[in-house]
Amino acid sequence: MDLETFKANIPELVDEAVEAGKKMSEGRTVLTVSIDSIKDMDPIVEYLHHLWDKKLIDDHIAWNISYIFGTLLGEIIIKEQGFHWEIFDNLPVVGKNEKNWVSPISKIYKIITDTDDGEGMPSNFYDSFKVMLQYESMSDEEKEKLTIYVDKED
């Protein structure tokens, strides 16, 4: 997949996520490319996770639905944080520079298919992402103040 093809498909993918969100929430949730929609995505992704647990969706369906919801999540990150899309290992990712890349598509997929319930939700992913950005913007002095050292006794 090339970047230009993916970017050309983003409006359609976002529309698919909006429509799927409406159907899965029986019309109660209308997702948009806004920060508020991240928390609105949580119950939808949780519902998909339950379908996965009950073996009502397979890997192919889980990946395809992750692709549309992950694209929406990526668009929200771009809008809020000024990141941009790139292709890494044939997968769309969002980032600012070579150090700060995240894959919202992969994250949604991991949440849906997680067997340990340890992957969290889209809102947890975004909150962790914001903390990482705050930490990276700190000076070495500020980072040192946050660092906890543990002495190991033999």
Side-chain angles (χ1 to χ4, degrees), residues 10-28:
I10 288 173
E12 182 180 331
L13 293 166
V14 168
D15 287 347
E16 286 180 42
V18 169
E19 286 305 310
K22 279 183 198 172
K23 286 179 185 173
M24 286 183 233
S25 69
E26 297 174 347
R28 292 184 308 271

Side-chain angles (χ1 to χ4, degrees), residues 134-135 137-147:
Q134 287 174 328
Y135 182 79
S137 68
M138 290 178 163
S139 68
D140 289 340
E141 218 173 76
E142 291 170 316
K143 289 177 184 176
E144 183 70 26
K145 289 178 184 175
L146 291 176
T147 305

Side-chain angles (χ1 to χ4, degrees), residues 39-86:
K39 285 204 184 296
D40 293 339
M41 247 190 267
D42 286 354
I44 293 166
V45 173
E46 185 174 20
Y47 171 76
L48 291 163
H49 175 72
H50 291 303
L51 292 179
W52 172 266
D53 279 348
K54 293 177 182 179
K55 302 196 183 336
L56 297 174
I57 59 174
D58 63 15
D59 191 59
H60 180 74
I61 292 171
W63 177 254
N64 287 340
I65 200 83
S66 298
Y67 203 85
I68 64 170
F69 283 112
T71 299
L72 174 60
L73 181 56
E75 285 293 290
I76 295 168
I77 291 170
I78 287 168
K79 182 178 177 186
E80 294 297 318
Q81 300 295 332
F83 278 36
H84 62 274
W85 287 105
E86 263 317 317

Side-chain angles (χ1 to χ4, degrees), residues 81-84 94-101 133:
Q81 300 295 332
F83 278 36
H84 62 274
V94 295
K96 251 187 192 173
N97 57 45
E98 288 136 23
K99 294 188 334 183
N100 294 326
W101 294 106
L133 290 178

Side-chain angles (χ1 to χ4, degrees), residues 2-38:
D2 69 279
L3 184 59
E4 295 312 310
T5 301
F6 173 72
K7 283 183 172 182
N9 289 325
I10 288 173
E12 182 180 331
L13 293 166
V14 168
D15 287 347
E16 286 180 42
V18 169
E19 286 305 310
K22 279 183 198 172
K23 286 179 185 173
M24 286 183 233
S25 69
E26 297 174 347
R28 292 184 308 271
T29 302
V30 178
L31 300 172
T32 62
V33 182
S34 73
I35 197 73
D36 296 333
S37 282
I38 293 177

